Amino acid sequence: MTLDLHKLEHLVAVAEEGGFTRAAERLHLSQQALSTSIRTLERYVGVQLLVRGHQHVAPTLAGQALIDDARALQAQAHAALERTRRIGRGQAGHLRIGHTPAVTAEEVVDLLTRARTEERGIQAHVRQLFPDELRDQLLTGACDLGLSRSMPADPGLTRARIAEHRLRIAVPAGHRLAARPAVALADLNGEPLTVWGESGSSAYTDLLIGLCRQAGVEPDTQRNPVQGTPPITAVSATGRIAFVTTPAGPAAGGAAHVIDLDPPVHVPVHALWPAHTTCRDRDVFLSRAGELLGGGGM
C-alpha cells in the first residue's frame, strides 16, 4: 500500500478548517466518511496525526510534518496533470510566468530577451500576481515559473537566484534630494518611505528595511494604499520616497525623479517553480538566466 493522495487531501482539509464539520462540507463528504478516512490514514502511518478536541482539531507534530509534505505532493500531482493536459492540447512550448509587483514587467521582458527564449521557440505568457496568488498558482501548476525579489520557497517549491537589479531611490519632483546626482542610504534618515507590504508579512519590505538598518537608518515606512501598480507610481501617489529599480532620471511623466545610490546596492530576482516537476522550456530559461548571473548579473 502507498500513501493515498485523497486521504492526504482529507488530512490537509481538516487541519486547515480546524475540524471535521467544515472540512467535510469543503470536501463534499459526510463527517463519518471523513473521520474513517483519517483513522485509516493514521493506522497506515502508525502514529497519531490529529489531536481531537471538543471544539477544535489540530495536527500533532508528526501530523504537521505529513501535512507539509502532503501539500508538496499535491502540488506535484497538480503540476504533472496540468503539464500532461497542455502537451495533449498541443500547447508545449508555452512558458507561463508569474511575477510579483516588485519585479516589473519590463524587467521580465528583459530577462526573456537576454535568455533568447523567442529564438528557442518558447512563447512566454507573463502576468503580474501578488505573492500569495503566485504561490498558489505555482503549487497548482497554473504557473510554470515565478519571479520575485524575496519570496521564500514554501514546501513544494524550489527557489534560485537568477539575476539582480540596482536599487535606486525615487523622490517627488522638487524634493530636497531631487537635484543630487547620487545619495547614500544614510541620507534617507528621517525620510518617509513607501513600501508595498507590512514589515513581518512582506519578505521584500523586510529586505529593504534590513538594508536601511545596515546603513544606520531606521526607516519611517508606510504601506502604499494603491496596490499592484509599478513601484515608481508610489511617489506621485503618496508624495513619499520609494525604493525602485527604474533607471536614474525623470520618471512618472516628470512627477518623480530617480536617483542612484552610492555606494551601489543591488536586490535579487529569484525564480520559483514546483519542485520535482519537469518543464523543458523552464529549464532552458533557467539555464540561460544562470549564465547571465554568473557573468556579473544585471
Side-chain angles (χ1 to χ4, degrees):
M1 180 179 174
T2 59
L3 280 172
D4 186 330
L5 287 178
H6 288 297
K7 287 183 172 56
L8 292 179
E9 181 184 9
H10 298 167
L11 176 65
V12 170
V14 172
E16 289 180 347
E17 298 297 341
F20 285 86
T21 301
R22 291 175 59 182
E25 292 174 355
R26 166 173 151 182
L27 296 167
H28 304 291
L29 293 173
S30 69
Q31 290 189 49
Q32 181 178 357
L34 180 57
S35 180
T36 299
S37 175
I38 297 298
R39 292 194 182 280
T40 301
L41 179 61
E42 286 180 318
R43 285 197 298 271
Y44 174 71
V45 175
V47 297
Q48 184 178 354
L49 301 174
L50 297 172
V51 177
R52 298 159 173 84
H54 291 297
Q55 296 183 335
H56 188 73
V57 176
T60 63
L61 289 177
Q64 187 59 56
L66 183 57
I67 288 166
D68 291 341
D69 288 340
R71 290 190 175 110
L73 288 170
Q74 288 175 327
Q76 293 167 29
H78 281 303
L81 180 61
E82 181 64 20
R83 178 173 176 271
T84 301
R85 286 171 172 167
R86 288 171 57 210
I87 291 174
R89 294 166 182 160
Q91 295 175 335
H94 292 200
L95 182 62
R96 300 163 303 165
I97 299 175
H99 66 96
T100 63
V103 181
T104 68
E106 292 79 8
E107 288 166 342
V108 177
V109 170
D110 185 55
L111 274 173
L112 291 168
T113 301
R114 289 168 177 255
R116 301 201 301 273
T117 52
E118 187 173 356
E119 295 177 23
R120 292 168 167 79
I122 300 172
Q123 184 176 353
H125 298 264
V126 178
R127 60 183 179 274
Q128 178 179 287
L129 298 166
F130 290 115
D132 287 345
E133 295 174 316
L134 179 56
R135 183 181 296 109
D136 289 344
Q137 295 212 9
L138 288 169
L139 289 173
T140 58
C143 265
D144 302 308
L145 182 70
L147 298 175
S148 77
R149 294 290 180 198
S150 306
M151 271 180 61
D154 285 3
L157 296 179
T158 298
R159 188 178 85 156
R161 180 176 175 140
I162 63 168
E164 60 182 27
H165 293 117
R166 185 169 178 177
L167 192 65
R168 298 179 175 89
I169 283 291
V171 302
H175 190 276
R176 67 179 184 86
L177 298 175
R180 297 269 293 272
V183 298
L185 280 173
D187 295 328
L188 306 181
N189 200 30
E191 290 288 344
L193 177 67
T194 295
V195 292
W196 280 263
E198 300 292 345
S199 176
S201 63
S202 166
Y204 188 45
T205 294
D206 291 341
L207 172 64
L208 296 176
I209 291 176
L211 291 171
C212 290
R213 288 174 175 167
Q214 289 174 22
V217 174
E218 186 60 39
D220 170 21
T221 60
Q222 178 178 310
R223 184 173 182 267
N224 187 10
V226 182
Q227 293 289 301
T229 57
I232 192 66
T233 61
V235 173
S236 56
T238 67
R240 300 161 71 94
I241 69 173
F243 284 112
V244 299
T245 53
T246 308
H257 196 83
V258 179
I259 310 166
D260 283 331
L261 288 172
D262 186 23
V265 178
H266 292 83
V267 289
V269 176
H270 287 106
L272 296 105
W273 64 94
H276 310 298
T277 61
T278 59
C279 178
R280 182 193 68 85
D281 301 318
R282 181 180 65 216
D283 292 343
V284 169
F285 173 82
L286 290 172
S287 175
R288 179 60 181 161
E291 293 173 7
L292 293 172
L293 184 61
M298 295 169 51

